[in-house]
Amino acid sequence: MLTISINLIYISFVFYGILQIFSLIKLNKNLYHGKREMPIKFVLSFCLIFSVYAYCVPDFAGHALILKLLSESKESHIEPFYDWLGKFVNCDYLLFRIIIYSVIYYCLFVIMKKYSANKKIFVLFFIIWMLSPISNLIRSSLSDVIAFLGILAFYRNPGNVKNFLILLIFIIPSFYLHKSAFMLIVPLALSFLPLNKRKSLIYAILFPIITIAANFVMSYLFKTYFVNSSYSSMQEGINLTYIIRNVVVFCVNFMVWLFIIRKTTYLAHSRTLYGYIYRFLFFGLIIWSATTLLPISSYVGYRFFGHCLIPIVLLATYLASKSSFIVKSKLYMYSVCLVIINIINGYYSVYALSLHLEKEFWYIMK
């Protein structure tokens, strides 16, 4: 059983902060000074190390408990694949994380190599946008990278039967790797709808109404039939600090996401890879913003945002690679804001974790 201490949690957080600041420095050099030197594999290796030893993220302790339950032959209530993998590694939590994150980072490397407009900028935006959530949400992160291997291959040529089969080969297993992966179906299907100014306005008005109505129904179903689910438990214990924190994080992410969409509107009609990614994110932004700030669906919005991170990083990389100096400058300033929010949000999580570590997470304490 992997054990940790308060000191290891703070060391992990400092390592995360260093990676965030490093990404800003390198992003500045790549955007403004044209300096391209950066050992991508070396940087990703450090990100992989952080993800494996991400003591400072909330779900690190949660997944440690899952392995503990498996070691005691108790029900873990997670997807069968992780039950099998946990037993296969003899409930060794470190080995469990090494295997999963090795697969995740390999898939990310393939996505970067095949689909990103600029590999170095992709890695830097990955650190800013994705490093924390991917290190926290281990199961849904694995599900996402597998799903997007199929989705992006399909987007390249949707009319090709071979690409459609590739989509099915990758996206179907992703549903079994995390229950929330089915959320990808909605923006994936909507990304094939035509877009123009009039239709964009109609969609922007119509879809939030549909989404909110659907979430009222979903909230009723979860609270009635799935009382012990994480969705139901997320609605309890919400305080003012939690609300303020979520609103600030939402506003910053919303502004950046909207900026990326606004500056790539020329892709709205495109039937290319990035045209489909644009429409995926256009509808994704509407769905996410309609769910995140509602108490009945905040958990859904949080999960949905995580599923949209790969296309966000891809489109942000495309924008940074193709845009003018002014657009790059604004994108960089938004990146600075994101890093500040990431570090503050990370410290809040570390502080909250340290308060509950000995009481709730005694099973991983030294």
Side-chain angles (χ1 to χ4, degrees), residues 210-231:
I210 296 174
T211 304
I212 291 170
N215 276 284
F216 271 105
V217 174
M218 183 187 63
S219 177
Y220 170 78
L221 292 175
F222 269 90
K223 289 182 177 180
T224 305
Y225 300 105
F226 303 96
V227 179
N228 296 321
S229 70
S230 56
Y231 177 89

Side-chain angles (χ1 to χ4, degrees), residues 178 222 226-236 299 303:
H178 198 269
F222 269 90
F226 303 96
V227 179
N228 296 321
S229 70
S230 56
Y231 177 89
S232 300
S233 62
M234 282 287 288
Q235 311 311 314
E236 300 177 1
Y299 180 66
R303 283 293 184 183

Side-chain angles (χ1 to χ4, degrees), residues 71-135:
S71 67
E72 297 172 353
S73 300
K74 296 178 181 178
E75 289 188 28
S76 61
H77 302 290
I78 58 172
E79 294 78 9
F81 170 76
Y82 301 103
D83 272 340
W84 171 82
L85 180 61
K87 293 172 183 175
F88 179 78
V89 299
N90 200 27
C91 298
D92 185 326
Y93 187 37
L94 179 59
L95 184 57
F96 180 82
R97 292 182 71 90
I98 289 173
I99 291 173
I100 293 179
Y101 278 113
S102 296
V103 175
I104 289 173
Y105 275 86
Y106 175 77
C107 293
L108 278 170
F109 185 81
V110 172
I111 289 171
M112 175 199 70
K113 192 173 181 180
K114 294 184 69 174
Y115 304 110
S116 69
N118 184 302
K119 297 179 181 62
K120 294 179 177 64
I121 294 177
F122 175 90
V123 171
L124 297 173
F125 279 139
F126 160 77
I127 294 172
I128 294 171
W129 282 88
M130 293 183 63
L131 183 58
S132 178
I134 210 171
S135 303

